[in-house]
Amino acid sequence: MRMKIGIATVAAGTAVAAGPPDFTTLRHAKTIGDPSFRHAGAVTCVRFLPDGKRVLSAAQDGTARLWDVATRREIRRFPMAEGADVWDVVLRRGGGEILTAAGGGAVIRWDLESARELARYKHPDTAFRIAEFPDGASFVSTDNKGGALRWAWDGAAPLATYSIPKGSVYAAAIAGGGTRLITGGSDGKGPCWWDAAGGGRIGFLSGLTGTVHTVALSPDGKAVAVCAEHQVAVLDPASGAVAWTHAFPKEAYVCAWSPDGSRLAVTAEGRVHVFSAADGEHRAQVDVGGRSSWAVAWSPDGATLLCGAGSGIAVVDAASAKRVFPPEGAVDPEGIGGMAVSADGSRVWVAGDASMRPLDPGTGVPGAAVAFPDERSRAWVTLDGRYVIAAARYGAEKPYAVLDAEGGAKVAELAVAESYVATGIASDAAGSNVFAIVGNQEVRQFSVPGFAVARDWSTVKAPSRRPAAPDPFAADGVGMPHSALGDDEGPRIGSLAVSPGGRHLAAGCRKGTVVVWDLATGRRWPDMNVGGEDIDACLVTDGDAPVLVVVHRREMLALPLAPGAGGPAEAEVKARIQRLGSDTHAEREEATRGLAAMGEALRPFLRLWTWDDPEIAERLRKIEAGLDGEMAAGAPAVALAVPGGIGSPVALPGCDAWAAIAGGGADAEVWICALRDGEIRVTHRIRTGRGPAVLQWLAGARQLWVGNRDGTIDRFDLP
C-alpha cells in the first residue's frame, strides 16, 4: 500500500519529513480591483476603430488588446512571443486585420476577430511604428536600427528601405497622397522627408532638431504635427515651414488630430494638452495620471479622448476637459509595485509610484492614499498587520518609513544611512524583526515593536578596527557595529531575505556571492559563489532541510543548507573530519581525500559544526576553497534555466518550497518550486493573465496572494 503526502509518494508507515502542502490543489478564489482599461505594462498606443465602439491598444506587457469602449472590458488580446513590448497597433484600411510592431523585430498581421496570426514582416530588431499608404496596398514600419521599411501586404521582402546612419526611428507619416514619407527618431536631426517611391532622402526641411517621438498628419493632409524633445510643432508637409510651436517643461511624447482637424491633443508630463490647430492657442490640460503618457486618440465624433496613463487608459471628456475614468483615488496607474497582506487576509496595502493605500479585500475599493515626498514603491506588513513599511525607490536620506497599518500615520523611520536599494528590507513571518540594508556591506536588524537597532551584520570578514567591547562573533565578521567597520572589502549587498521562520538571513551580493547567517547562533556560514554576475534575489526556505535559492539572471539555483537524505551519514562525515587532526599523516591525507571527493555533498555538513582545532579548521577551509572554485567556474549545486527570465522569489512559510515569477509581460507565470531528488521541480504553475509582480503566502489562511501589474490582486486558496 502506498499513500500520497504533499508531493512525495512513500510507502505506508514510513517516517516522512514535513513537506509542502499540495499546491496543485490551489484554486482561484477572487480578483480584487478593477481591470477595466488596464494593461500589465505601460500603454504605448491607443487607436479607435471607425465604429467608435471599440478601441485597440498596445503596451509594454507583451500584448495588443481590443476593448469595448462602453464597458471598458477586454474583448480580445494579441500576445507576443516571450512577452515582447508592443509599440504600435494599426487597423488595416477596410478593417478585418491589424498590424502590431513589437520588440524582437516582428511586425505581425493578425485577423481582428480570431486573433489568428496571418503573416510576419521581419526587422533586424525592435519595431516601433507603422503607417499605411493611402492606396491600401502597402505600409511602412520603423525600427531601432535606423530603418524604415516599406512592405506589400503579401510580400516577404521590403519594397523599399529608408535608412538613417544610426539611431532608432520612432515615428513615420505618409504625406503628399503617398508620394512623401516623413520620419523621425533618435538621431537628433529632427523630422526627415523622403521620396516614398524611390527611397531617396529629400532632407531635413523644417529646421527642427532633437529626438522626434511622433509625426502625425492632419485629416486633410495639409499639416503635420511633430513632437520633438520638449516641444510640439505644426508644419507644412510639403515645404517643412513651421506654422507654430509650443514648448513644455519636459518631453512631449505623442500628438493626435481631432477628426475635423480643428484641435490637436499632445501628451506631456502625465497630462494631455489640447490646442487650437490653426494658431496653437492652448485651450485645456488634463491630468490623466501616471508619470508619463505615451498614447492619445480621439473618438470618431471628437467628443472623447483616450490617453495612456501608466498601465491604464484614461478617458477624458473633450468638451469639459475633465477626466471621467479612472476615478480619483483609484489604484496607482503604474500598477502594484508592492503589496502587504496581514496574516489573516483582513488588511491589504498596495504601493504604487509615490504613494501607498489600503485596499478593502472584500470590495477592492481603495482607501485614502498616503503620499510621500520622495518616491516609495515597496510595502511590508509586520506584526500581523500592525505596521506597514514603505521603502524608497531611489536614494533618500531616510529611505524606510514605518506606518501604522490602521490609519497610515508615520510612527518611525528606520535608522539607516542613504540607500539606493529598493528591495533592501526584509522581515520574518512573525514580524518580530526587520532587516534593512545600511550600505554596501552591512545589514541592520531592528526589533519590533519600537524599531530600535538590535545589531548589525557585515559581509566584511576582517574589519580593520574592532569594537571596544568584546564581541563573541568578531572572528566571523558579524555583529560589528556600523561605526566600527573599517574600509576592508566585503561582498556588496544587492538583495536581502529572511527565512519565514526567522532562522536564516541571506544577502545576495555582487559578483555572484551569497552570504548566509544563522540568526539563532550568529554564525556566518562559508560564503557561496554562483558565478561572476550580480545576484538578483535570494531566499532561504523553512523546514528541517532548508534550501538557499538564488535568482541569477535567467537561471534559478538551489543549494541545500543541511545534509539531504541518501547521502553519507552525519556521524560518518563528522568522524572523517575529526581524523583531519590525527597525529598520523596517512590518516590526515586519507581523510582529506575522502572529504574532497564528496564534492558539493560535503558543503551542507560543513555548516553543522564549528571546529576549535586550528589544524582541522585550516584543512576544512582549503577543502571548501576548492568547492568554491568549482562553483565560480559555473558548477552550482542545482540549476534550472528559465529562458523568459525569473524573479520575485518568496519562501513559503512552514515548508521547504518557494514561489517565483517566471517569464515577462501579461502572461508571466507564478511557479511553485521545491528541491526534490537533486532537481528543482516546478510542482505547480499559475497564470493570471494580468502580469504578476509581487507574491505573498499566508500560511495560516492557506492563501497565495498575487499582486498584478494591471493594478489587481488575485487570491488563490488551498482547500
Side-chain angles (χ1 to χ4, degrees):
M1 176 181 176
R2 302 177 71 84
M3 59 186 290
K4 187 175 181 183
I5 301 178
I7 61 172
T9 302
V10 298
T14 303
V16 180
D22 184 0
F23 290 104
T24 62
T25 62
L26 271 174
R27 295 294 179 265
H28 185 266
K30 66 187 307 182
T31 297
I32 302 169
D34 185 5
S36 301
F37 269 176
R38 292 297 294 259
H39 274 268
V43 174
T44 56
C45 176
V46 288
R47 296 187 192 275
F48 272 96
L49 269 63
D51 61 12
K53 298 178 180 180
R54 296 172 296 170
V55 66
L56 288 163
S57 64
Q60 292 180 319
D61 67 351
T63 69
R65 307 192 192 189
L66 178 67
W67 306 84
D68 181 282
V69 174
T71 63
R72 307 185 186 107
R73 297 296 181 182
E74 180 183 329
I75 300 173
R76 194 168 297 114
R77 69 174 58 182
F78 306 84
M80 305 297 127
E82 297 186 2
D85 294 343
V86 188
W87 293 98
D88 202 2
V89 57
V90 175
L91 179 71
R92 183 178 182 180
R93 293 178 188 271
E97 295 178 358
I98 65 170
L99 285 169
T100 57
V107 174
I108 304 177
R109 178 159 58 99
W110 310 78
D111 179 81
L112 179 63
E113 297 305 321
S114 66
R116 181 170 60 92
E117 182 178 320
L118 302 176
R120 284 185 175 235
Y121 312 88
K122 184 63 178 174
H123 281 258
D125 208 334
T126 300
F128 282 119
R129 292 297 171 189
I130 301 166
E132 189 177 7
F133 279 82
D135 61 7
S138 61
F139 65 90
V140 67
S141 52
T142 72
D143 60 45
N144 70 343
K145 296 297 184 182
L149 307 179
R150 185 174 182 176
W151 306 86
W153 286 98
D154 58 354
L159 299 174
T161 300
Y162 319 88
S163 61
I164 60 176
K166 61 179 180 178
S168 300
V169 182
Y170 296 135
I174 311 297
T179 63
R180 294 290 184 267
L181 170 67
I182 306 174
T183 64
S186 64
D187 60 355
K189 297 182 179 181
C192 181
W193 274 253
W194 303 82
D195 175 10
R201 185 169 65 186
I202 297 172
F204 302 93
L205 305 183
S206 67
L208 298 176
T209 59
T211 297
V212 174
H213 299 293
T214 304
V215 177
L217 192 70
S218 65
D220 61 7
K222 296 180 179 180
V224 63
V226 176
C227 288
E229 300 285 352
H230 294 189
Q231 67 176 334
V232 61
V234 172
L235 318 173
D236 180 278
S239 66
V242 178
W244 58 265
T245 64
H246 181 90
F248 298 92
K250 294 184 178 180
E251 295 281 324
Y253 284 112
V254 185
C255 55
W257 296 85
S258 63
D260 62 3
S262 65
R263 293 165 293 173
L264 184 69
V266 184
T267 66
E269 308 170 87
R271 299 179 177 89
V272 60
H273 301 257
V274 180
F275 297 89
S276 167
D279 55 14
E281 177 189 358
H282 189 272
R283 293 184 176 178
Q285 67 176 32
V286 182
D287 186 351
V288 298
R291 282 172 287 173
S292 60
S293 178
W294 295 345
V296 64
W298 293 84
S299 61
D301 61 5
T304 303
L305 277 165
L306 296 185
C307 307
S311 63
I313 300 172
V315 182
V316 175
D317 178 71
S320 64
K322 293 187 180 299
R323 188 181 77 194
V324 298
F325 183 85
E328 292 296 331
V331 173
D332 195 290
E334 303 296 335
I336 294 178
M339 178 183 67
V341 186
S342 62
D344 61 359
S346 64
R347 292 179 182 173
V348 181
W349 280 76
V350 294
D353 189 33
S355 66
M356 293 173 56
R357 65 176 71 240
L359 197 67
D360 186 312
T363 65
V365 175
V370 178
F372 300 98
D374 48 10
E375 294 186 344
R376 300 175 190 264
S377 66
R378 296 290 185 268
W380 290 264
V381 165
T382 65
L383 280 186
D384 195 18
R386 287 176 56 188
Y387 301 103
V388 179
I389 301 178
R393 290 187 61 191
Y394 307 110
E397 292 183 2
K398 297 178 179 179
Y400 303 112
V402 182
L403 312 178
D404 175 72
E406 184 68 31
K410 184 160 61 177
V411 298
E413 287 183 322
L414 301 186
V416 302
E418 182 175 353
S419 174
Y420 290 88
V421 184
T423 56
I425 189 167
S427 65
D428 52 40
S432 56
N433 288 281
V434 174
F435 299 80
I437 296 176
V438 177
N440 287 328
Q441 298 156 300
E442 294 82 49
V443 177
R444 180 159 292 173
Q445 179 180 346
F446 300 85
S447 59
V448 181
F451 299 95
V453 177
R455 72 183 303 170
D456 289 329
W457 306 82
S458 172
T459 64
V460 179
K461 288 188 176 181
S464 59
R465 299 201 308 275
R466 300 291 186 189
D471 188 328
F473 305 112
D476 293 319
V478 300
M480 303 298 297
H482 181 58
S483 59
L485 293 172
D487 297 326
D488 305 79
E489 281 296 314
R492 294 174 178 263
I493 303 171
S495 61
L496 198 63
V498 180
S499 61
R503 178 64 187 266
H504 300 106
L505 171 66
C509 306
R510 296 181 60 187
K511 297 182 179 179
T513 299
V514 185
V515 180
V516 179
W517 293 274
D518 186 316
L519 296 177
T521 64
R523 179 172 179 250
R524 174 176 172 174
W525 293 354
D527 295 353
M528 287 147 279
N529 190 281
V530 295
E533 298 290 339
D534 296 350
I535 300 299
D536 295 332
C538 61
L539 62 87
V540 179
T541 66
D542 275 344
D544 296 332
V547 177
L548 171 67
V549 179
V550 178
V551 171
H552 196 50
R553 304 305 184 201
R554 296 179 181 270
E555 191 174 45
M556 184 162 49
L557 312 173
L559 182 68
L561 295 183
E570 181 177 319
E572 175 189 342
V573 176
K574 190 171 187 178
R576 188 174 291 175
I577 292 176
Q578 289 173 330
R579 287 198 294 273
L580 292 176
S582 171
D583 293 335
T584 304
H585 175 77
E587 282 193 359
R588 292 197 303 269
E589 290 303 306
E590 185 276 333
T592 299
R593 288 193 299 270
L595 292 169
M598 290 176 62
E600 281 299 320
L602 172 65
R603 195 186 295 272
F605 290 98
L606 298 181
R607 302 185 183 104
L608 296 179
W609 312 294
T610 300
W611 300 92
D612 295 328
D613 187 315
E615 290 190 14
I616 293 179
E618 176 62 18
R619 287 180 179 271
L620 286 176
R621 187 194 67 77
K622 291 181 178 180
I623 291 171
E624 184 154 37
L627 298 181
D628 290 341
E630 291 178 5
M631 291 191 71
V638 182
L640 177 66
V642 186
I646 189 81
S648 303
V650 295
L652 301 179
C655 64
D656 59 354
W658 67 93
I661 297 173
D667 290 331
E669 296 180 334
V670 179
W671 285 3
I672 308 296
C673 307
L675 186 61
R676 294 289 180 268
D677 300 325
E679 296 180 351
I680 296 175
R681 297 210 181 152
V682 181
T683 64
H684 192 47
R685 300 169 187 250
I686 299 171
R687 178 175 291 185
T688 67
R690 307 179 189 279
V694 289
L695 307 173
Q696 189 169 342
W697 169 251
L698 306 185
R702 294 170 66 84
Q703 296 173 348
L704 177 66
W705 292 64
V706 182
N708 299 307
R709 298 187 186 279
D710 70 351
T712 63
I713 298 173
D714 283 298
R715 197 191 86 199
F716 297 84
D717 294 354
L718 270 179

